[in-house]
Amino acid sequence: MDKIKVGIIGTGYVGLVSGACFANLGYETICLDVNENKINMINNGISPIYEHNLDELLNKVVLKEKLLYATNSRKKLVIDCDVIFICLPTPSNANGSIDLSFILNELKEIGSILKTCKNYKTIVIKSTVIPGSTMNNFLNTIEKFSSKRLGDDFGLIVNPEFLMEGSALNNFNNPDRIIIGYHDHRSKDIITSLYNSFNCPIIYVTFDEAEMIKYVSNSFLATKISFINEIANLSENFNINMDHIVEGVGLDQRISPNFFRSGLGFGGSCFPKDVNALYSLSKQYDSELTMLKATLSINDIQPLRAIDILTDIIDVTDKKVTILGLSFKPNTDDIREAPSLKIAKELHRLGSDIYAYDPIYVNKKINNYDYIKISNNYQDAIKNSYAVIIVTEWDEFKSLNSDDFEFMTHKLVIDGRRILDPKLFDNSLVRLITIGNSKNHQLN
Ligand code: UDX
């Protein structure tokens, strides 16, 4: 039997990472995008997105092995490929529900092409979609536009991703588990053969279960973060260092220290969107997930903890305040829902003169935040500042010590991600305040 040919629709960090990794497993892979610039970059072995090691991998599979190419021809992809992954955006609507229109429009187009296809094609939903989307919306769209039947003429699978930005290639190649939502055995067997080189558990469930597993995973992780952030906020009133709490609690195998770092809250393109979507769904079914409501409200205000500490000590109006780290997490250029933007917006409201430095956001402007003056290095960003807030835990900031803040006008440093060593600030003129550490300690 010929080797399966893989189609990827949508070349964002899920689609392009998945496509490059399938190609790296030896599968001929075609990526579809509507953006000509992205298509050209990919076909030159260059990643349009910033993801660790993706450029090197694309160079290998596109230029050397010629196993992957990008196109804008949906027809060619559908006709040539056996398994077609849908990796399109599912953005939030204003009320927090998700917008499935990108996927529905794509499935209409694919359905119309399937109408004239003789070969069996398996369509795989990899985008994060709320429970019920595939069974209630996607299946009947494909059948309607293709005049074909699931199982007899085409296959349909739900295969959610668990990729973390900054480590997406590793997450793809070494998953904790593979989730396969299926309805017919032919598709199940085809998708199983595609993943046959993986040695993790493969869990076979219904469409709805596969969709729900993704949301419950992200919602639980986000809730774990909001929980430890609230504990950290309370702990500041006691003689407590949060690292010791996380160590002592995290040694319980049932809890673990993972995803238990208190700080300025979670951001990114997934956690806020996914938790909002599941919460919004729960209200439609009169089963409101009140815990997720709390997860979201805690996370909305957590970044402003840094501002509260700051304004308790100095008046920031017309003062230079520095933000170190703009991306929502290290090793990515993604600033979607980043805590840094919430902090900048509040500082702007208070009339501060805002400077920032981020290892990736050099010589760039951020749309709708042109009041943020972005420096080319952290030294310039810090100089003559009244306060510095560490917002993203980039490695570059972890070794900072009191000398690095020597040229501040007022020497106040707020460590929002608990990465600085307080001992390096003892007996210095710099006042270091660490989110989640006892205020008592911080009065030195
Ligand atoms: C997340 C999920 O981890 C991944 O499984 C899913 O497929 C996509 O969404 P990602 O958003 O890329 O991945 O980043 P992640 O590393 O999960 O961090 C999300 C946010 O939580 C970041 O803002 C990070 O700073 C914050 N975080 C993470 C904490 O505040 N504390 C922690 O202990 C861990």
Side-chain angles (χ1 to χ4, degrees), residues 29-222:
T29 304
I30 305 176
C31 294
L32 180 79
D33 205 290
V34 293
N35 183 313
E36 280 305 325
N37 180 44
K38 275 189 172 183
I39 290 168
N40 293 333
M41 287 179 76
I42 293 167
N43 289 335
N44 286 298
I46 301 165
S47 169
I49 55 169
Y50 182 94
E51 180 57 43
H52 188 53
N53 287 340
L54 187 52
D55 267 331
E56 293 81 353
L57 184 56
L58 281 177
N59 187 287
K60 174 174 178 283
V61 296
V62 172
L63 300 184
K64 293 195 182 73
E65 297 168 355
K66 303 196 185 313
L67 279 168
L68 183 148
Y69 73 88
T71 178
N72 64 2
S73 167
R74 176 182 294 104
K75 187 163 187 166
K76 177 160 182 45
L77 183 146
V78 174
I79 290 169
D80 284 3
C81 295
D82 306 300
V83 179
I84 301 163
F85 286 88
I86 307 295
C87 304
L88 292 170
T90 52
S92 294
N93 293 316
N95 65 0
S97 63
I98 64 164
D99 174 1
L100 297 174
S101 62
F102 289 99
I103 297 180
L104 285 167
N105 292 335
E106 186 60 40
L107 295 178
K108 288 173 187 170
E109 300 287 345
I110 292 173
S112 306
I113 300 169
L114 284 181
K115 208 174 188 133
T116 55
C117 275
K118 295 181 182 54
N119 299 346
Y120 188 93
K121 308 287 177 181
T122 299
I123 296 162
V124 183
I125 307 298
K126 188 167 269 297
S127 299
T128 302
V129 294
I130 49 167
S133 300
T134 301
M135 199 67 207
N136 304 330
N137 304 58
F138 302 158
L139 173 54
N140 52 42
T141 298
I142 302 169
E143 289 190 331
K144 178 182 172 190
F145 283 82
S146 66
S147 306
K148 294 193 168 181
R149 302 275 302 147
L150 172 63
D152 300 335
D153 310 309
F154 70 90
L156 185 57
I157 291 284
V158 176
N159 174 219
E161 49 82 19
F162 300 96
L163 306 179
M164 295 193 285
E165 292 192 40
S167 57
L169 296 184
N170 182 48
N171 299 147
F172 183 96
N173 293 315
N174 304 290
D176 293 333
R177 75 297 200 194
I178 291 169
I179 304 295
I180 304 294
Y182 77 101
H183 197 267
D184 73 285
H185 286 280
R186 185 170 176 183
S187 316
K188 177 189 173 199
D189 295 344
I190 289 170
I191 195 78
T192 299
S193 66
L194 194 62
Y195 283 114
N196 65 10
S197 62
F198 289 75
N199 56 19
C200 66
I202 298 186
I203 314 294
Y204 296 99
V205 293
T206 66
F207 288 158
D208 292 6
E209 287 167 339
E211 292 160 341
M212 184 63 91
I213 286 167
K214 168 68 180 179
Y215 275 96
V216 171
S217 295
N218 271 9
S219 297
F220 181 77
L221 290 168

Side-chain angles (χ1 to χ4, degrees), residues 287-338:
S287 299
E288 183 183 4
L289 297 173
T290 55
M291 281 187 75
L292 294 191
K293 185 177 183 181
T295 296
L296 291 165
S297 55
I298 293 162
N299 196 60
D300 282 345
I301 57 177
Q302 189 63 17
L304 305 183
R305 292 280 301 170
I307 308 285
D308 294 344
I309 294 168
L310 194 52
T311 50
D312 277 353
I313 298 169
I314 60 169
D315 173 4
V316 296
T317 309
D318 298 328
K319 302 282 192 325
K320 177 178 177 178
V321 177
T322 302
I323 292 171
L324 291 187
L326 288 167
S327 57
F328 83 93
K329 64 184 274 195
N331 305 315
T332 177
D333 64 348
D334 197 339
I335 55 170
R336 287 175 287 184
E337 301 292 319

Side-chain angles (χ1 to χ4, degrees), residues 375-423:
S375 304
N376 293 338
N377 56 65
Y378 66 78
Q379 294 87 343
D380 289 351
I382 291 171
K383 194 172 179 185
N384 301 328
S385 183
Y386 280 74
V388 171
I389 307 171
I390 310 267
V391 179
T392 309
E393 61 275 29
W394 282 99
D395 285 347
E396 192 175 345
F397 305 147
K398 290 179 178 171
S399 54
L400 294 178
N401 61 51
S402 55
D403 295 343
D404 293 297
F405 302 95
E406 181 186 357
F407 299 111
M408 289 179 70
T409 305
H410 183 96
K411 296 176 175 52
L412 173 60
V413 177
I414 297 169
D415 180 2
R417 292 294 179 186
R418 308 177 52 74
I419 58 173
L420 300 182
D421 179 355
K423 288 192 290 301

